[in-house]
Amino acid sequence: VQLQASGGGLVQAGDSLRVSCAASIRGRIFSGYGMGWFRQAPGKEREFVARVGWNNDATTYADSVKGRFTISRDNTKNMVYLQMNSLKLEDTAVYYCAADAHSRSGRARTATDFYDYWGQGTLVTVSS
């Protein structure tokens, strides 16, 4: 599995931005993976942002982004998206998409250890 994140950039506080993740998979269908987004700010540990189940039926969000961010996936395109609204300065980070090969549920599984594959990250910078 190869994951390629894109769509990051420089935005102002209060703006919206959508980051995307393209998955390249062999031997297994994309819907067989639970998919998540994480982020890592400078000097901080990588933290969970959101997770989506195999058919968009279930999602989990970190409290810090709940109500502002929306995760979704398109299994026909092998894509995962993170729509970020009302961005705040503290949302500045490198955003990583990740694939969980052992569960396609959208519930819980927020620790990095649950994820088997990681993309390279895309930088989101929120300015005042």
Side-chain angles (χ1 to χ4, degrees), residues 3-26:
L3 303 174
Q4 181 77 35
S6 62
L10 174 63
V11 297
Q12 291 189 323
D15 284 353
S16 297
L17 188 69
R18 188 178 80 162
V19 292
S20 303
C21 176
S24 177
I25 298 174
R26 291 185 178 181

Side-chain angles (χ1 to χ4, degrees), residues 43-98:
K44 295 187 176 181
E45 293 188 352
R46 192 170 297 189
E47 64 174 3
F48 171 79
V49 175
R51 178 184 172 100
V52 63
W54 70 281
N55 67 348
N56 285 310
D57 62 327
T59 55
T60 301
Y61 294 95
D63 288 343
S64 59
V65 306
K66 205 171 292 184
R68 299 188 298 121
F69 290 12
T70 302
I71 187 172
S72 62
R73 64 193 294 165
D74 185 340
N75 291 333
T76 66
K77 298 179 180 179
N78 287 10
M79 296 289 295
V80 182
Y81 306 100
L82 185 68
Q83 177 67 43
M84 302 181 289
N85 298 330
S86 303
L87 282 161
K88 303 177 180 180
L89 297 179
E90 51 264 41
D91 294 320
T92 294
V94 176
Y95 283 72
Y96 298 89
C97 60

Side-chain angles (χ1 to χ4, degrees), residues 1-3 21 23 25 30 33-38 51 73 80 96-103 112 114-119:
V1 177
Q2 292 185 323
L3 303 174
C21 176
I25 298 174
F30 179 60
Y33 296 83
M35 296 298 298
W37 283 98
F38 289 75
R51 178 184 172 100
R73 64 193 294 165
V80 182
Y96 298 89
C97 60
D100 178 355
H102 300 282
S103 174
T112 57
F114 287 119
Y115 295 82
D116 305 281
Y117 305 98
W118 294 83

